[in-house]
Amino acid sequence: MPSTKTVDLAAHPLTAWQGPLGLPDFAHIGDSDFSPVFDAALTAHEAEIDAIAGNKDAPTIENTLAALELGGEALDHVSSIFWCRAGAYTNETIQALERDISPKMSRHFSAISMNEKLFARIDDLYQRREHLGLDAETLRVLEKTWKGFVRSGAKLDAEGKKRLARINEELSSLGTAFGQNVLADERDWALFLDEADLAGLPDFLKSSMAEAAEMRGQKGRYAVTLSRSIYEPFTTFSERRDLREIAFKAFTMRGQNGGASDNTEVVRDMLKLRAEKAELLGYASFAALKLDDTMAKTPKAVHDLLDPVWEKALEKAAADQKELERLAAQAGSNEKFAAWDWRFYQEKLRAEKFAFDEAELKPYLQLDRVIDACFDVATKLFGITFEEKKGIVAWHPDARVFVVKNADGSERALFLADYFARPSKRSGAWMSALKSGYKLGNGSKPVIYNIMNFAKPPAGEPALLSVDEAKTLFHEFGHALHGMLTDVTWPSVAGTSVSRDFVELPSQLYEHWLTVPAVLEKHALHVKTGKPMPKALLDKMLATRTFGAGFATVEFTSSALIDMAYHARPDAPAEPLRFEAETLEKLDMPDTIAMRHRTPHFGHVFSGDGYSAGYYSYMWSEVLDADAFAAFEETGDPFNPALAERLRKNIYAAGGSKDPEELYTAFRGKMPSPEAMMVKRGLV
């Protein structure tokens, strides 16, 4: 391996971004480059931290807080490219590096947060904060930084610091292992079918399955994979109950199949370490630690939201199941109604109640036109425009590059998007940044990306989306706008750097514009005829927005309640999967519905700790987003200019520069109650 001395961080393509449009020069980045550059960048950042901590001058905002925020640029650059690759286009080399780099990064940042001289300087500023004449954003950054150090062990004794650093390192390695195990199960499983096995499947799904089979070396056959974009429509439309059962069991058993990719022990060890970490830092539970810096604040507040929703969802699901069992009996089924029957008969019930099925909508939801709709809504609301730049090399040939411009034509950001599923990409959909946007120092323009997992069509055919997939695209683009519209000074409060239960507001709110009739009339054009979606079909689609609410809410809320059950207790369960089963039994979870994310593949919670004790956040933000969109509906104009400007200024541009309640109240005038969310979901 090359020595760190051979790496020139000022010139290396991983750290000095000199590609087109100021992007990394991906064409000149190889897998073998990462390790030596990481080592050099870590060493460089250590030297910067030592210089800040050892400064003989009295601490100031400039020589301590700003220096800390702006330090580690080379490390930021190589990290952002590497974690993009690890999620979106991995291989054995990248995965081996991930297992090596994760604990290294954990050790590095533990050392920073436990650096006594550095904390002494931050603490000095914090104690004098009321007398420094700071603006509101700088004061908030100072307070958050101080609290972050304390929550990371700055006040522990030497033995406590050593143990916490070790816990963090082990958790980092376990989180990496968890994610790689799930990816292995998803990559290695496929159910190959022939033409005779495809009864009930619409053409769009057959095309996607044919492409998936060809990608796996089975040209001429059809593959059911564990990508949601294939799994969910297959279990919705396949008339073969035996095949639906096979697919359902494979999907729900990801991460729990024995052997090298089994996550049972990984989860057990992570929960044990998290409980120990919370105790070490003086918190009653890991949930108490994680919620301390959120809008909810306490596990009780989370349950105050989730518990009433759970009761309503159970009632709705039970009533719906009776209807589905009626349809199954009418179809001649003598089998006990099972979880792999739900989507299939729910689609039949939709057809019966509303005289259409989801497959009717697909020809009107072409991927490129839904992308255009996302951009068009952003232009109408916020005045920004998007221009695709062809031929620019990114991390994978499927990734696309767009320049984002302000209304005056000046460049605001870059947006990259990678839409199609492949075996080298982890499942799900997400937004992240190669660079965040801020004004401190020389400033930085945002470079934001979205990752999706839509089924790739055969060459020459357009990709068609389901309504849920189109919503996912709008959702992740809402996160992207949060990153692109950021207008703050300090990097640590830029874009999506907000509390976990506020971060989903911009994304979930943006979903509402997908079903604004004017948006669909313009962009939902038939793939063959080019004609807009007929009003009758549009009306049916809008009428079914709350259809299946019981199923969807039980799926989601059970996952959120299990997450909270694991983390709100002071210790860790000895057998997490038994604990999952016992908790679901106490909750009266129907055996005909599976959690949206069972424990062994619950990446939000165990592939890192981003949403650990935080999966409830989607529903917490949903209370806000239902109320926020109601503000537009109350004006009669979904693009009301005055309201859009308040939305931009206080939600999308403000990042974490102010308290979330203050930001929301500045936009809406008040905080909402959960009622609007319950109505939106069709539960009341």
Side-chain angles (χ1 to χ4, degrees), residues 39-253:
D39 286 343
L42 284 164
T43 300
H45 194 211
E46 284 169 13
E48 289 175 313
I49 294 298
D50 288 345
I52 298 167
N55 192 334
K56 302 299 183 192
D57 296 337
T60 65
I61 293 297
E62 289 72 27
N63 72 18
T64 302
L65 191 64
L68 184 62
E69 290 258 330
L70 293 171
E73 183 179 69
L75 185 59
D76 287 344
H77 282 189
V78 63
S79 296
S80 67
I81 299 172
F82 179 77
W83 296 115
C84 174
R85 279 288 313 275
Y89 190 35
T90 194
N91 55 39
E92 288 184 6
T93 302
I94 294 293
Q95 290 191 324
L97 280 168
E98 196 179 358
R99 293 190 292 272
D100 178 55
I101 288 165
S102 292
K104 269 187 192 174
M105 293 284 277
S106 176
R107 284 195 297 272
H108 175 73
F109 285 105
S110 285
I112 292 172
S113 61
M114 297 176 194
N115 184 312
E116 291 181 10
K117 289 182 179 178
L118 180 60
F119 179 63
R121 295 180 70 84
I122 294 292
D123 191 45
D124 178 283
L125 291 171
Y126 179 76
Q127 301 305 333
R128 295 187 288 120
R129 65 193 182 281
E130 302 298 343
H131 309 291
L132 296 175
L134 305 180
D135 63 82
E137 184 184 328
T138 304
L139 176 61
R140 183 167 170 81
V141 170
L142 175 58
E143 290 175 343
K144 283 173 69 72
T145 302
W146 182 86
K147 191 169 187 178
F149 270 80
V150 172
R151 282 161 51 87
S152 298
K155 290 193 167 186
L156 294 176
D157 61 21
E159 195 57 39
K161 286 178 179 175
K162 187 176 175 183
R163 180 58 192 149
L164 183 60
R166 183 65 188 152
I167 288 171
N168 287 337
E169 186 178 333
E170 288 182 40
L171 283 170
S172 178
S173 294
L174 288 165
T176 296
F178 184 96
Q180 291 189 359
N181 288 344
V182 176
L183 179 63
D185 277 6
E186 291 172 344
R187 180 194 63 218
D188 296 343
W189 190 91
L191 176 62
F192 293 103
L193 305 178
D194 297 307
E195 193 73 41
D197 304 315
L198 307 184
L201 302 189
D203 289 343
F204 76 81
L205 181 55
K206 291 180 189 176
S207 293
S208 298
M209 289 168 60
E211 181 71 12
E214 187 169 345
M215 284 172 69
R216 289 160 176 77
Q218 295 265 359
K219 188 172 183 178
R221 300 190 77 196
Y222 302 86
V224 182
T225 70
L226 299 182
S227 165
R228 280 191 190 272
S229 60
I230 287 180
Y231 163 77
E232 287 191 355
F234 180 79
T235 50
T236 299
F237 294 111
S238 174
E239 292 176 11
R240 287 281 301 276
R241 188 174 191 267
D242 57 330
L243 300 180
R244 297 200 309 267
E245 180 179 1
I246 292 168
F248 172 85
K249 288 181 175 176
F251 192 78
T252 54
M253 290 296 287

Side-chain angles (χ1 to χ4, degrees), residues 178 182 185-186 228 250-256 263 267 427 580 595-607:
F178 184 96
V182 176
D185 277 6
E186 291 172 344
R228 280 191 190 272
F251 192 78
T252 54
M253 290 296 287
R254 289 170 295 150
Q256 194 189 344
N263 274 327
V267 168
S427 61
E580 175 194 84
M595 293 165 63
R596 184 160 181 82
H597 305 284
R598 283 198 57 240
T599 299
H601 52 259
F602 203 166
H604 287 77
V605 170
F606 294 109
S607 188

Side-chain angles (χ1 to χ4, degrees), residues 370-516:
V370 178
I371 294 168
D372 287 345
C374 272
F375 292 168
D376 195 19
V377 169
T379 302
K380 283 188 168 74
L381 287 172
F382 307 122
I384 56 175
T385 55
F386 300 79
E387 180 187 348
E388 185 165 11
K389 297 292 185 181
K390 301 274 192 182
I392 293 177
V393 176
W395 56 84
H396 185 274
D398 283 347
R400 298 164 65 176
V401 180
F402 302 85
V403 174
V404 186
K405 293 184 178 178
N406 294 309
D408 63 6
S410 60
E411 188 176 311
R412 162 141 223 111
L414 294 177
F415 174 61
L416 289 81
D418 182 355
Y419 293 110
F420 296 120
R422 51 181 173 266
S424 60
K425 184 192 281 190
R426 71 175 168 88
S427 61
W430 64 95
M431 164 269 181
S432 194
L434 293 178
K435 262 190 192 177
S436 58
Y438 54 85
K439 298 173 194 163
L440 192 67
N442 295 324
S444 170
K445 283 182 184 168
V447 182
I448 306 297
Y449 63 89
N450 275 172
I451 306 290
M452 307 288 163
N453 267 286
F454 303 139
K456 191 169 187 176
E461 290 187 26
L464 303 178
L465 306 183
S466 68
V467 174
D468 280 349
E469 287 172 330
K471 280 184 181 174
T472 297
L473 196 149
F474 264 70
H475 178 102
E476 297 305 335
F477 191 71
H479 281 309
L481 286 172
H482 203 182
M484 292 187 282
L485 291 170
T486 191
D487 187 19
V488 300
T489 298
W490 292 85
S492 64
V493 292
T496 56
S497 298
V498 300
S499 71
R500 181 61 68 192
D501 48 14
F502 190 68
V503 77
E504 296 299 332
L505 169 60
S507 54
Q508 292 180 183
L509 174 58
Y510 206 69
E511 291 178 37
H512 288 264
W513 275 278
L514 170 64
T515 51
V516 167

